[in-house]
């Protein structure tokens, strides 16, 4: 009787070990595939996406939120209406119609 229980426990342990190892490989493979899809989503490269994302007023205003919250940014000092952080002077700000030297 004890031999049967030990055999059953041994088989169960071996089965769990094999399943764990085989599933782990598939999970890592799925993560790699997901990462590759994110990095090159539908043929767009990340540099162009990053440039396009920086067109909103949260990037182009004279004063911007350090967190670049969507809809933030102002021509005057103040606080971000989204997160409450104090606006900082935008080093890349350029007034329309005026060239900065």
């Amino acid at each position: 009787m004890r031999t049967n229980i030990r055999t059953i426990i041994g088989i169960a342990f071996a089965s769990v070990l094999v399943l764990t190892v085989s599933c782990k490989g598939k999970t890592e493979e799925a993560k790699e595939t997901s990462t590759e899809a994110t990095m090159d989503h539908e043929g767009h490269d990340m540099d162009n996406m990053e440039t396009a994302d920086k067109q909103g007023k949260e990037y182009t205003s004279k004063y911007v939120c350090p967190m670049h919250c969507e809809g933030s940014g102002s021509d005057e000092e103040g606080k971000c209406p989204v997160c409450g952080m104090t606006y900082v002077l935008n080093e890349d700000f350029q007034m329309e119609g005026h060239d900065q030297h």
Side-chain angles (χ1 to χ4, degrees):
M1 184 71 164
R2 287 187 178 191
T3 305
N4 289 340
I5 293 174
R6 288 181 185 169
T7 303
I8 292 171
I9 291 174
I11 291 171
F13 179 75
S15 298
V16 169
L17 182 63
V18 168
L19 288 173
T20 302
V21 171
S22 66
C23 289
K24 183 178 180 184
K26 289 182 181 181
T27 302
E28 289 175 1
E29 185 178 309
K31 284 181 184 177
E32 288 176 13
T33 302
S34 175
T35 302
E36 288 172 8
T38 302
M39 295 299 288
D40 191 21
H41 181 66
E42 295 181 15
H44 297 95
D45 64 2
M46 294 301 287
D47 292 335
N48 288 340
M49 288 175 67
E50 192 172 305
T51 303
D53 288 344
K54 293 187 178 186
Q55 299 302 313
K57 73 177 195 172
E58 59 269 15
Y59 291 97
T60 59
S61 298
K62 183 173 182 179
Y63 291 93
V64 295
C65 174
M67 299 300 292
H68 301 289
C69 296
E70 187 173 343
S72 66
S74 175
D75 291 332
E76 300 175 0
E77 294 183 52
K79 292 190 181 272
C80 174
V82 178
C83 70
M85 292 183 75
T86 302
Y87 284 146
V88 295
L89 183 62
N90 183 0
E91 300 289 329
D92 298 326
F93 176 73
Q94 294 181 5
M95 292 181 62
E96 293 180 24
H98 294 85
D99 290 333
Q100 286 186 331
H101 295 282

